Amino acid sequence: MSASIEVTRDGGAFDVRVREGGSETRHRVTLSHEDHSRLAPDVAADAVITAAFRFLLAREPKEAILARFDISVISRYFPEFAEKLPAYLR
């Protein structure tokens, strides 16, 4: 079963709700203009956030994803993030 990822913009941040297996988690994520430009400049910011969550969910359960974080921290835990992200944007 794949997770349902819902992303809504709230000012300068994104609220993300992940539903899977009869439960859900909520997350607050920020994405700087610089990181957006570096990771996927031609893709809408909410699509970048959705792809980042697809990437994360392929590696860990939704409950293990931080409740609040900046997208730049993903590379600290998963150094391959920037390289692998384009595959999750499709």
Side-chain angles (χ1 to χ4, degrees):
M1 174 190 320
S2 67
S4 167
I5 304 166
E6 179 183 314
V7 178
T8 54
R9 185 173 219 141
D10 181 20
F14 298 85
D15 291 320
V16 182
R17 181 170 27 182
V18 181
R19 293 182 187 142
E20 182 180 42
S23 66
E24 72 177 44
T25 57
R26 293 179 181 256
H27 311 270
R28 180 90 167 167
V29 183
T30 53
L31 171 63
S32 71
H33 178 71
E34 293 79 14
D35 283 332
H36 186 195
S37 295
R38 178 178 57 84
L39 292 169
D42 298 326
V43 177
D46 60 334
V48 174
I49 299 295
T50 300
F53 270 79
R54 286 187 192 127
F55 171 89
L56 290 170
L57 290 166
R59 289 156 177 77
E60 61 186 356
K62 66 185 181 305
E63 294 81 9
I65 299 172
L66 298 170
R68 298 178 74 87
F69 64 94
D70 184 80
I71 204 162
S72 65
V73 304
I74 297 174
S75 293
R76 292 184 204 162
Y77 297 96
F78 303 101
E80 73 278 16
F81 173 64
E83 175 189 339
K84 301 285 184 182
L85 183 65
Y88 293 90
L89 289 166
R90 298 181 189 133

